[in-house]
Amino acid sequence: MLFGLGSPCLRAEPVEDMLQRLAWPERPETAMLAFNEERTFPFRRFPKRYTGKMYRSPEGDLAIVYDSPRSMRLLIRGDSIQLDDGSGALQTIPSDRFDGHAISDLLRGDVQQLKANWNIEPTADGLKLSPKNDSIAASIDFIEVYFASQSVQSVRVHQRNQATRNYEFGEVVWTSGDDAATPFAN
């Protein structure tokens, strides 16, 4: 299961079992975890670094809240991805941005969509996902998911433009009340 909720990764573990560890458990609380993101580009000397928190509601919605270097928020509800660039107004990201939708399927733990859109193979310490779909392959070369102990430790997205996005995740904390609702507010 995603981010610290499954069984340890073993090399002999079937791909299907590893995929199931990406799925979120059914709980009445909202899951929250801290993350670090680093984006490297071939034309930049230094990477861009971001920190924030990711929230997953009991209904399956995601809120990705960036704290630095500037405040912004992504809301993922069903097939809709909306961006709040810090102004408080939500703008819908066009559905032709398949890289965002592909990443949201992974972060939501949508095993059916991952199986439909990706060739999935085990690696020594995780999974490698290569796109089946030409529209995804236009922007993403492949994705690596690394497991450590009982959790997803990190995800590395290799883009076609030679940029790389690395995500490292903290432990899941379960929240409720205002702390759980605020990230999803319109």
Side-chain angles (χ1 to χ4, degrees):
M1 296 185 187
L2 189 62
F3 308 114
L5 303 171
S7 60
C9 176
L10 303 172
R11 282 187 190 195
E13 185 176 2
V15 170
E16 186 65 32
D17 291 348
M18 294 173 80
L19 274 175
Q20 291 306 316
R21 292 182 13 211
L22 295 173
W24 290 88
E26 297 297 323
R27 287 193 52 166
E29 302 96 353
T30 294
M32 187 276 298
L33 57 91
F35 70 90
N36 293 308
E37 178 181 345
E38 183 176 279
R39 299 176 188 178
T40 58
F41 304 90
F43 53 87
R44 288 200 174 155
R45 186 172 177 185
F46 299 105
K48 292 180 83 174
R49 291 185 173 89
Y50 301 83
T51 61
K53 293 180 181 70
M54 183 169 68
Y55 299 83
R56 196 251 185 207
S57 75
E59 297 79 30
D61 298 336
L62 284 181
I64 301 170
V65 180
Y66 288 87
D67 300 323
S68 75
R70 65 185 177 95
S71 178
M72 64 181 180
R73 174 177 60 135
L74 285 171
L75 289 181
I76 302 169
R77 293 182 173 130
D79 289 336
S80 172
I81 300 177
Q82 297 176 304
L83 171 67
D84 171 358
D85 62 5
S87 67
L90 290 171
Q91 302 169 2
T92 300
I93 295 177
S95 61
D96 61 354
R97 294 271 320 266
F98 283 102
D99 58 341
H101 289 276
I103 300 300
S104 74
D105 290 341
L106 178 62
L107 294 178
R108 287 186 300 181
D110 191 333
V111 174
Q112 297 299 41
Q113 284 295 326
L114 291 171
K115 288 164 67 172
N117 294 316
W118 299 87
N119 294 309
I120 303 166
E121 58 189 270
T123 63
D125 49 3
L127 294 169
K128 179 179 178 183
L129 290 75
S130 303
K132 292 180 182 178
N133 182 315
D134 288 342
S135 58
I136 296 172
S139 60
I140 297 177
D141 193 16
F142 63 95
I143 297 175
E144 297 170 295
V145 179
Y146 296 97
F147 297 103
S149 183
Q150 297 184 23
S151 64
V152 172
Q153 178 183 28
S154 61
V155 172
R156 181 172 293 154
V157 180
H158 297 267
Q159 296 175 244
R160 287 279 179 201
N161 64 1
Q162 298 179 345
T164 305
R165 290 185 278 169
N166 297 305
Y167 301 89
E168 293 191 10
F169 302 101
E171 295 295 318
V172 171
V173 175
W174 296 96
T175 64
S176 59
D178 289 344
D179 290 339
T182 301
F184 297 98
N186 289 331

